[in-house]
Amino acid sequence: MISLKPNVSIFNNFIISKIILSADYILHSTKEHLFITSGNDGKHSDSSLHYQNRAIDIRLPKDPTPFIVKLNNVLGANYTILREPDHIHIEYDVV
């Protein structure tokens, strides 16, 4: 199950779809739900990839470390996953 925080805005493109479907698949195996806390909405730095529709934030799962490792393996090297104090930031960051 995928839920969004009220007023979250997401532009559905290949990058965002891959992040969402991959995260949901991994969380489903632990009987958790994906909760998206930010898309291209909210307050981010001016250079944030959120505004380019290349990043989302999700609620921390019960056990974030194995989730991050699995998601990193699934998404690959072009994606960056950052654990923040109250969420996980996931972005597609190609140089």
Side-chain angles (χ1 to χ4, degrees):
M1 178 201 266
I2 300 169
S3 301
L4 281 76
K5 183 177 173 180
N7 300 317
V8 166
S9 176
I10 293 177
F11 181 81
N12 190 13
N13 59 26
F14 176 78
I15 293 165
I16 297 299
S17 293
K18 183 175 179 180
I19 293 170
I20 291 171
L21 293 173
S22 299
D24 183 54
Y25 179 79
I26 293 165
L27 288 171
H28 183 74
S29 70
T30 62
K31 299 189 179 9
E32 292 185 74
H33 300 292
L34 176 62
F35 191 85
I36 302 169
T37 59
S38 186
N40 60 11
D41 56 287
K43 193 172 189 178
H44 307 281
S45 69
D46 290 341
S47 61
S48 172
L49 295 179
H50 283 276
Y51 301 126
Q52 297 176 32
N53 299 307
R54 293 173 33 199
I56 63 168
D57 296 334
I58 66 171
R59 183 176 286 162
L60 285 169
K62 293 176 188 169
D63 196 359
T65 302
F67 169 78
I68 291 170
V69 169
K70 289 177 186 175
L71 187 59
N72 191 48
N73 288 336
V74 170
L75 293 177
N78 292 332
Y79 290 80
T80 301
I81 304 166
L82 302 171
R83 182 179 176 174
E84 304 286 349
D86 61 346
H87 68 275
I88 294 176
H89 172 85
I90 309 160
E91 66 183 32
Y92 181 75
D93 189 18
V94 176
V95 178

